[in-house]
Amino acid sequence: MAAAATISATEVRLINSRKGRGLFATGPFQIGEVILKEKPVVSVQFLWNAMYKYAACKHCIRSLETAQDNARRLSSNPSLELPHPECCTVDTSTYVSCPHCQEVYCSEKCREESWRSSHQTLCLGASKNDPEHPLNRLEETWRNIHYPPETSNVMILLKMSAVVIQSADRDAVLQKFSQFAHTAVNENEDIVHKMLGPQFKTQMEVLQKAVKEAKDYLGDDTFEKWETPEGFVEAMAMLGTNGQGIGTSSFAEWVKNCCALDLSEEERKQLMDFIDKIYAEIEKVSGDFLNSEGSGLYEKQSACNHSCRPNAEVSFLDKDHTLTLTALTDIQPGEEICISYLGPCYLERGRYSRQKELMDNYLFVCDCPRCLEEVNGPDETTEEEMSSEEEICEEEEMGEN
């Protein structure tokens, strides 16, 4: 199982039965300081993402394409040549494959960690391309139920099973997984409804059967609760409430490094114009889906509650599934560490718009200090907010790119 957070001046506390857990600082943090770096307990690449040939390390989801290959594929331009190759940090010479199923890893370390934690159980060997294999049937079932843009991956459940099977201390692992359980039973169906759409009840029966067949193949006798309709809905709600999206992109990293180059004004303008042109070509072919993407369960990050005035933000600075939590403001000991579940677009809106988005997608009413301060604000989305949002969204897209 993956290591815990590497910086530990934080602790998870139970706030109350309604709000659940929260992450609190046990020491001071200054603005811009890294609060913690954390590897997931489990993580997986999204299935549609992999099907569309977003090459990623089987273990850490690091992008396996060079920046040039990534840009060529996304823009459907096989002759594209990127300048400043030194700005691409991808080293293909370190790649290794599983000798049994040929899954690719970015390094021998990742291959070993994967085999030691779960892949020994999940490795398909020669059955990798057998559509009738229970694990492959489960993947196909999920793809037929959960279409892009992806928000989760049912294979996290199978990976949890594999981690338990391979662990020398099953009770400790089960205890670790238990913290992710979603306890608001009355909300579980609503969460799964948001994840899978209006036909989710029929789909859940098909999905539950496929998960059971896969678990039976693995020989997993844990998580028996998943075999009941209520328990399986709870498991899926757990993925919906705790799964943290992960995104890595070798091309975006190349762009970031290019922006840091010491260039003349004219050289910088030429380079930025070239990059803008590539992004325009990519948008025509691939839309906004540029990254190798997946989902993971993180012990400490999963305890972070939302605030419309967040004092921390999540990023993936290591270009893999390692999560970095960084302070947006000075944080004092005993202060709760909160992130925003909303993107910059919605954070710039008024209370009504933020509350509606949070209720529609996360099923809660926000009572953060900012929302309480704005309690007497407009009870509808104003035209001014909509106009401002369009500008912010454009800036947000450029920043992500």
Side-chain angles (χ1 to χ4, degrees):
M1 181 176 295
T6 57
I7 299 175
S8 57
T10 58
E11 66 179 5
V12 177
R13 301 180 197 164
L14 179 66
I15 298 176
N16 54 48
S17 59
R18 180 186 66 82
K19 198 167 184 179
R21 305 178 301 157
L23 183 67
F24 291 82
T26 57
F29 295 99
Q30 295 182 340
I31 182 172
E33 185 177 354
V34 171
I35 298 170
L36 61 82
K37 278 182 174 287
E38 184 177 17
K39 292 186 182 297
V41 181
V42 291
S43 66
V44 293
Q45 185 182 8
F46 288 144
L47 293 178
W48 279 102
N49 192 261
M51 175 168 278
Y52 284 130
K53 301 190 183 304
Y54 288 82
C57 174
K58 183 68 173 179
H59 181 63
C60 74
I61 316 184
R62 182 186 298 273
S63 177
L64 296 179
E65 292 177 300
T66 65
Q68 182 164 278
D69 288 341
N70 187 223
R72 284 177 172 179
R73 178 174 59 81
L74 293 174
S75 64
S76 290
N77 183 356
S79 63
L80 177 65
E81 296 285 340
L82 296 185
H84 303 290
E86 72 279 8
C87 289
C88 177
T89 59
V90 173
D91 182 4
T92 60
S93 68
T94 65
Y95 295 177
V96 296
S97 300
C98 171
H100 309 289
C101 68
Q102 310 309 312
E103 290 284 5
V104 182
Y105 297 87
C106 68
S107 65
E108 179 61 24
K109 180 182 178 182
C110 270
R111 189 195 69 78
E112 290 177 352
E113 288 183 0
S114 179
W115 185 261
R116 184 170 59 250
S117 63
S118 61
H119 190 63
Q120 185 175 354
T121 298
L122 295 173
C123 182
L124 296 180
S127 300
K128 179 181 178 180
N129 297 316
D130 177 7
E132 296 305 312
H133 191 285
L135 300 191
N136 289 333
R137 283 206 305 268
L138 175 57
E139 290 190 354
E140 182 63 19
T141 299
W142 179 251
R143 279 193 294 266
N144 289 335
I145 289 174
H146 190 60
Y147 295 96
E150 296 168 272
T151 59
S152 190
N153 183 347
V154 73
M155 300 308 288
I156 284 183
L157 299 183
L158 268 290
K159 203 160 191 178
M160 289 169 65
S161 292
V163 168
V164 172
I165 289 170
Q166 292 189 209
S167 174
D169 189 344
R170 291 163 62 100
D171 290 340
V173 173
L174 288 170
Q175 178 62 33
K176 190 182 290 285
F177 282 135
S178 69
Q179 69 185 295
F180 297 111
H182 189 256
T183 55
V185 177
N186 60 317
E187 294 180 354
N188 285 340
E189 284 201 358
D190 290 336
I191 292 168
V192 177
H193 186 179
K194 292 297 298 183
M195 187 189 304
L196 300 182
Q199 304 301 319
F200 80 98
K201 289 190 176 181
T202 301
Q203 292 171 331
M204 284 291 282
E205 294 175 4
V206 174
L207 188 60
Q208 183 179 11
K209 179 181 178 182
V211 169
K212 185 179 186 311
E213 291 175 350
K215 283 175 79 270
D216 288 346
Y217 166 79
L218 298 182
D220 177 26
D221 58 0
T222 57
F223 303 113
E224 293 181 355
K225 193 174 183 180
W226 296 353
E227 298 184 12
T228 68
E230 297 79 9
F232 190 65
V233 169
E234 181 181 328
M236 294 303 297
M238 178 270 293
L239 297 185
T241 54
N242 290 283
Q244 167 64 48
I246 301 165
T248 65
S249 169
S250 55
F251 178 65
E253 184 67 16
W254 175 83
V255 171
K256 176 183 174 182
N257 293 336
C258 282
C259 291
L261 290 173
D262 184 12
L263 302 173
S264 69
E265 185 175 338
E266 179 59 28
E267 288 173 327
R268 181 170 300 280
K269 182 181 184 306
Q270 289 178 358
L271 180 57
M272 293 303 106
D273 288 345
F274 176 76
I275 290 172
D276 288 344
K277 182 179 179 181
I278 294 175
Y279 273 126
E281 291 176 359
I282 289 175
E283 185 176 3
K284 290 179 182 178
V285 176
S286 303
D288 295 329
F289 302 103
L290 308 181
N291 301 340
S292 296
E293 295 181 330
S295 180
L297 298 179
Y298 296 83
E299 291 184 73
K300 289 203 167 184
Q301 177 277 333
S302 68
C304 287
N305 287 307
H306 165 82
S307 173
C308 295
R309 190 178 289 146
N311 57 10
E313 67 177 352
V314 167
S315 60
F316 293 89
L317 302 179
D318 292 9
K319 304 180 289 294
D320 61 11
H321 64 190
T322 304
L323 179 147
T324 301
L325 190 64
T326 305
L328 293 175
T329 66
D330 290 344
I331 299 174
Q332 302 304 316
E335 187 176 347
E336 185 178 5
I337 299 169
C338 294
I339 60 177
S340 173
Y341 297 174
L342 303 174
C345 292
Y346 272 95
L347 273 184
E348 290 298 319
R349 284 190 171 195
R351 180 179 182 272
Y352 172 83
S353 298
R354 300 195 311 272
Q355 294 276 1
K356 184 176 186 304
E357 180 72 4
L358 289 168
M359 177 55 70
D360 287 348
N361 290 283
Y362 299 97
L363 306 177
F364 72 89
V365 175
C366 183
D367 59 359
C368 74
R370 183 183 169 193
C371 283
L372 295 178
E373 291 170 8
E374 299 175 3
V375 69
N376 293 320
D379 59 356
E380 62 181 0
T381 300
T382 65
E383 291 184 8
E384 182 179 351
E385 284 182 343
M386 292 293 290
S387 177
S388 175
E389 180 194 358
E390 290 177 1
E391 295 179 5
I392 295 166
C393 284
E394 289 178 1
E395 295 176 1
E396 179 184 354
E397 289 174 1
M398 288 300 296
E400 290 177 349
N401 292 345

